[in-house]
Amino acid sequence: SQTIHQWPATLVQPVGSPLSLECTVEGTSNPNLYWYRQAAGRGLQLLFYSVGIGQISSEVPQNLSASRPQDRQFILSSKKLLLSDSGFYLCAWSLTENTEAFFGQGTRLTVV
Amino acid sequence: GQQVMQIPQYQHVQEGEDFTTYCNSSTTLSNIQWYKQRPGGHPVFLIQLVKSGEVKKQKRLTFQFGEAKKNSSLHITATQTTDVGTYFCAGLLIGGGSYIPTFGRGTSLIVHP
């Protein structure tokens, strides 16, 4: 069966520090991968998605970047965090854009 | 830009009352998905609707897709405290220029015992 792993679960980082969140999927090949951000009490904002290795599409220009160095690995990064980067970050995968998405447990990031 | 609107944002009910959340799009949808996110948790897929006028049931939950494929609803009969959470719809817009489902902002359901 397929599983998705996302870590860390919680993270407190100072303003200006770098960020690296990692997500890996097991049990499937060539999945679509997604990074979402959810601000407190808000909906899901799509940040990046990838349909293959090295293929990254950005939905919202901002202080973050994403990379897909391997088929089932998706990384969210920042060189310098801002206070406004605080939020709940969710990684997800799906077989295609027409099928359901499976979400990781999420990372709660607080920038102080 | 093209959006999927979801109402209400919050809904308080007494346990045993019914609950409905609505999802609307100005653009025809290829399909619509529904997810539930428990407090502190991550969204979990509930169901996908594809056909015009489709109705699907999961125990006390009834999902509908409009005839024009521009709206959808989730109805919960006789709510229980285990129904607490935020319910999201996600619609795949036809001709929207994106091949990624667009999420609504969610409806947070609060059930009072």
Side-chain angles (χ1 to χ4, degrees), chain A residues 34 36 38 41-44 46 49 59 88 90 97-101 103-106 108, chain B residues 9-10 30-31 33 35 37 40-43 45 48 88 92 98-101 103-105:
Chain A
Y34 312 87
Y36 288 90
Q38 186 175 33
R42 301 285 297 274
L44 296 169
L46 179 64
Y49 69 93
E59 290 293 301
F88 190 45
L90 289 155
E97 68 275 7
N98 277 321
T99 56
E100 67 267 32
F103 287 81
Q105 299 291 319
R108 197 162 302 279
Chain B
Q9 188 173 356
Y10 300 96
S30 174
N31 62 49
Q33 300 166 351
Y35 295 80
Q37 183 178 23
H42 59 282
F45 173 77
Q48 177 168 290
F88 292 97
L92 186 60
S98 172
Y99 300 95
I100 308 301
F103 276 82
R105 292 189 64 173

Side-chain angles (χ1 to χ4, degrees), chain A residues 29-34 48-57 66-75 92-97, chain B residues 100:
Chain A
S29 295
N30 198 33
N32 285 2
L33 296 172
Y34 312 87
F48 301 95
Y49 69 93
S50 171
V51 298
I53 295 175
Q55 300 179 59
I56 308 295
S57 296
S67 62
R68 184 171 178 172
Q70 300 181 44
D71 180 44
R72 290 168 288 177
Q73 183 184 29
F74 206 22
I75 298 172
W93 74 272
S94 67
L95 286 175
T96 72
E97 68 275 7
Chain B
I100 308 301

